[in-house]
Amino acid sequence: MITTPNVLEAIRQHGADAYPEEGCGFLLGTVTDDGDNRVTTLHRAANRRAENRERRYELTADDYREADAAAHEQELDVVGTYHSHPDHPARPSETDLAEATFPGFTYVIVSIHDGAPEDLTAWSLAPDRSSFQQEDIILPDLKRI
Amino acid sequence: MPTTEATTVTIRIPTPLRSATDGASTVEVEGTTVNDALRTLVDRYPELKDNLYNEDDELRQFVNIYVGDDDIRFGDGVETPLEGGDEVSIVPSIAGG
C-alpha cells in the first residue's frame, strides 16, 4: 500500500473515536501499473453489526455502493477497507480470514489500546484465499514503515 | 441459451477483480437472467470464478448482485430476468473481527 501520513492518521483517529467498539470504513485511491494500491483518502462508515461491535464489524453492500459513488466523484476507486482491533493486536483474526472478501483489496488494521492508537498494519488476501500476507506501507519521500 | 434476440447487459467489475478482466471496469455480456450473465462472465474470465463462487458453485456469501439499484436477493435471486441495457453490479459486503 502506498499512502500518506494523513491517511494513516485518519485511520488511527477513527479507531480511537470508535473505541471500545471497532471502527471501519473504506480506502479510496487508485491502482498503480504494478498492481499496488495507492490510498489517497478514506470513506468512514458505520459498524453495522447489531451486537458485539467490540469484537466484530460489518460493512453492508449499500455501504460499499455509497463509498464507490463517493470514490467516483473524486475519480477514485474503492481499493480496500480498514477496521480497528480494540485491545487486540493489529493482525488479521481468524474471523477476518473466514469472512475475507476479494484478493486485491488492501485490508488495514489498527490496534487501539485503552483508547489510544498503536500499531497499524496492511494486509492482502492470498489469491487462493488461504491466508493474509502483510503489505509494506510505503510513504513516498518518507521511510518505509 | 435463449433462442430469441440476444440481451446484452453491462456488468460492473469491482476494482480488486479487474486484474482478472484485463483491467476492464465493465464487461458486456449476453444473458437473459443474472445467472446467465454471470456464468458467461466467468467463462470468459475464468480467474473470476473462485472469487465469485464457492465450492458448492453458489455465489459466495459476501457477493451481492444488483441490477440497477435493486439487490437481486429481494427479487428472484440469480434467476432475476434481465433486459437489454441493464447494468449488473458485483458488490461485496465486508465483515470481520
Side-chain angles (χ1 to χ4, degrees):
Chain A
M1 169 174 85
I2 304 164
T3 191
T4 67
N6 285 348
V7 165
L8 300 183
E9 182 53 33
I11 294 170
R12 292 187 177 100
Q13 185 62 52
H14 190 183
D17 291 347
Y19 187 87
E21 297 184 352
E22 294 195 13
C24 53
F26 297 89
L27 307 175
L28 310 188
T30 55
V31 182
T32 70
D33 291 342
D34 293 334
D36 293 325
N37 290 325
R38 181 189 297 275
V39 178
T40 54
T41 189
L42 299 186
H43 182 84
R44 274 196 185 206
N47 183 349
R48 301 293 187 184
R49 282 285 297 208
E51 55 190 17
N52 199 19
R53 284 189 296 273
E54 295 81 6
R55 281 289 171 263
R56 295 285 186 271
Y57 79 99
E58 182 177 340
L59 298 161
T60 65
D62 281 340
D63 291 329
Y64 184 93
R65 280 162 51 84
E66 187 180 307
D68 193 45
H72 286 176
E73 284 179 10
Q74 303 170 72
E75 298 186 347
L76 301 172
D77 284 310
V78 176
V79 296
T81 67
Y82 67 90
H83 73 284
S84 60
H85 278 178
D87 299 314
H88 201 73
R91 60 173 182 264
S93 63
E94 289 182 14
T95 305
D96 289 329
L97 182 60
E99 302 192 356
T101 55
F102 298 131
F105 274 141
T106 292
Y107 298 80
V108 166
I109 301 175
V110 61
S111 174
I112 309 293
H113 184 68
D114 272 346
E118 293 192 337
D119 294 343
L120 186 153
T121 55
W123 306 80
S124 54
L125 185 64
D128 67 359
R129 314 181 58 83
S130 64
S131 63
F132 275 104
Q133 299 162 335
Q134 190 159 4
E135 290 185 16
D136 288 333
I137 297 174
I138 299 167
L139 305 171
D141 305 323
L142 295 172
K143 64 182 167 63
R144 183 174 295 204
I145 65 173
Chain B
M1 289 295 289
T3 55
T4 54
E5 61 189 277
T7 300
T8 302
V9 300
T10 300
I11 302 183
R12 293 189 61 198
I13 309 296
T15 319
L17 298 186
R18 291 176 196 164
S19 59
T21 59
D22 303 326
S25 59
T26 60
V27 176
E28 290 197 348
V29 300
E30 291 178 4
T32 55
T33 65
V34 167
N35 188 56
D36 279 349
L38 292 178
R39 296 293 177 178
T40 302
L41 177 74
V42 299
D43 282 347
R44 192 181 306 172
Y45 300 107
E47 282 181 43
L48 287 176
K49 188 160 191 301
D50 283 350
N51 285 307
L52 299 183
Y53 291 94
N54 63 20
E55 295 77 5
D56 297 325
D57 205 28
E58 295 169 341
L59 283 175
R60 290 186 179 277
Q61 179 98 23
F62 64 81
V63 174
N64 305 273
I65 305 296
Y66 284 67
V67 177
D69 289 325
D70 298 324
D71 184 337
I72 63 166
R73 287 203 176 93
F74 302 114
D76 295 326
V78 293
E79 297 309 321
T80 298
L82 297 175
E83 296 179 1
D86 274 348
E87 187 172 82
V88 177
S89 300
I90 299 168
V91 183
S93 50
I94 292 147

